[in-house]
Amino acid sequence: MQKTMRAALLHEQGDADQLVVGETEVPDRVNAEFLIKVVAAGVNPVDAKTRAGRGVFGAIHRFPAVLGHDFSGVVVQSPFHAHPIKPGDEVFGMVMVPRFSGSYAEYVSVPSLSVVRKPSTLSHIEAAGAPLAALTAWGIVVEVAKAHEGQRMLIHAGSGGVGHFAVQFASYFGAHVIATASGANVSWLRSLGAAEVVDYTTTRFEDVVGDVDVVIDLVGNVHDDTGSRSLTVLRRGGLIVNAPTGSWPGFQEEAAQAGVRGTDFKVAPDGNTLAVIARLLESGNVRVHVDQIFALEQVAAAHRAMESGHSRGKIVLKVAEG
């Protein structure tokens, strides 16, 4: 087994150009962990926030650091000989950065509870786009909001990574889904299950939407006070879930004053839940949309593309052939 690997290394906080591909040590596999050869790695907003000094940057205690939560790849070492997932098996999942070295690398070590067999109908590129976004969407829509038939759910940024999964999960469980997006994504979101789509570039959603049971806020007040405006469309006693960290300070107090419930959400790398999502992906009931693919050496360009805010679905790094 080789001792070093290629990885996108972060030496200090800053803009996208702070991510530079170089050599670093292959992470050690200990206890009930897998060592996985990464074929593809998903790119998520938290990666960019962390790189810039926000997100989970404060928990990085050793540099250079390797970012990247999502991975799809091939098992190199299993936790023990009789483990049902063996070397050579294709898997995907989510690793908690910076507790573990991230997936913008040729190898990643991951706890066994966070590793799931890759859906056979998905490529590694597609699979790498799913874990963090899909687990976040599932946690918010299914576990917190308890999506069900007859429920009216407004999902902001419906065409984004988390958003396009949230639309599909909410629709799958019978909710009446109203999504906000730009005009270019209206028909696409309808194909994913949205009953209504509001083009935020031409229409104020509060002018056409009301009596909503749940708002899934994937924007906050960082753009046009989307979060605060959402409180006006909720029924009394309704629920608003604000996901992006730091996007709306004090939102719970505002929600309480408006007579609605408010909570944030933090995703966990739960393999059991991801296994359920994997079955939905494999059956085609849920789809992952990959908008752009970049080589590992283009990681800075991938971050800039994501930070532009115009991506549909996910951006993925191709780390190796597979």
Side-chain angles (χ1 to χ4, degrees):
M1 179 67 199
Q2 64 191 72
K3 299 296 185 181
T4 63
M5 65 177 183
R6 289 166 49 251
L9 304 176
L10 179 70
H11 291 273
E12 61 181 355
Q13 71 182 67
D15 62 19
D17 290 323
Q18 293 298 327
L19 292 168
V20 179
V21 174
E23 290 286 318
T24 190
E25 294 180 350
V26 173
D28 293 322
R29 188 203 67 77
V30 297
N31 300 323
E33 293 174 4
F34 284 94
L35 182 66
I36 294 163
K37 180 177 174 59
V38 178
V39 176
V43 178
N44 292 286
V46 67
D47 302 341
K49 289 180 180 178
T50 300
R51 185 213 73 225
R54 305 186 305 277
V56 296
F57 182 85
I60 299 175
H61 301 302
R62 179 184 174 188
F63 292 92
V66 180
L67 305 181
H69 291 73
D70 294 332
F71 65 86
S72 183
V74 179
V75 173
V76 177
Q77 297 175 3
S78 295
F80 52 90
H81 182 71
H83 196 285
I85 299 179
K86 300 186 181 302
D89 288 349
E90 295 184 330
V91 294
F92 77 137
M94 174 185 162
V95 59
M96 289 303 291
V97 173
R99 299 300 187 200
F100 292 82
S101 185
S103 59
Y104 292 2
E106 290 183 297
Y107 295 92
V108 66
S109 182
V110 188
S112 59
L113 293 177
S114 301
V115 177
V116 176
R117 293 185 187 277
K118 180 182 74 65
S120 60
T121 54
L122 268 61
S123 67
H124 283 292
I125 294 290
E126 292 167 323
L132 186 149
L135 284 167
T136 301
W138 182 278
I140 294 172
V141 170
V142 181
E143 296 174 1
V144 177
K146 304 187 186 309
H148 59 269
E149 194 168 340
Q151 186 183 48
R152 287 173 56 80
M153 185 178 294
L154 172 62
I155 300 173
H156 289 305
S159 63
V162 174
H164 87 294
F165 282 116
V167 167
Q168 293 178 82
F169 292 148
S171 175
Y172 181 83
F173 285 100
H176 179 92
V177 178
I178 309 161
T180 62
S182 64
N185 291 311
V186 170
S187 60
W188 178 63
L189 284 173
R190 287 189 179 277
S191 76
L192 296 183
E196 303 175 47
V197 184
V198 180
D199 180 354
Y200 70 86
T201 66
T202 61
T203 306
R204 305 285 281 183
F205 65 84
E206 64 268 35
D207 293 339
V208 294
V209 177
D211 196 30
V212 170
D213 298 298
V214 179
V215 172
I216 307 302
D217 175 24
L218 303 176
V219 178
N221 276 356
V222 294
H223 177 74
D224 202 19
D225 290 334
T226 298
S228 294
R229 289 161 53 211
S230 298
L231 299 175
T232 66
V233 306
L234 274 165
R235 65 167 176 80
R236 188 160 187 83
L239 172 68
I240 184 165
V241 184
N242 173 259
T245 302
S247 64
W248 184 10
F251 82 95
Q252 287 178 305
E253 290 79 3
E254 277 193 57
Q257 291 172 3
V260 301
R261 296 168 293 147
T263 183
D264 57 1
F265 180 81
K266 295 292 182 287
V267 66
D270 179 7
N272 288 330
T273 300
L274 187 58
V276 175
I277 294 169
R279 289 195 290 273
L280 292 174
L281 289 166
E282 192 155 32
S283 68
N285 285 303
V286 172
R287 292 175 280 159
V288 54
H289 181 84
V290 176
D291 189 50
Q292 297 181 76
I293 304 166
F294 294 85
L296 179 63
E297 286 77 12
Q298 298 172 305
V299 60
H303 269 229
R304 283 192 287 268
M306 183 178 61
E307 290 177 300
S308 74
H310 300 304
S311 295
R312 174 188 286 186
K314 292 302 300 291
I315 292 174
V316 174
L317 297 175
K318 182 178 180 181
V319 179
E321 296 296 328

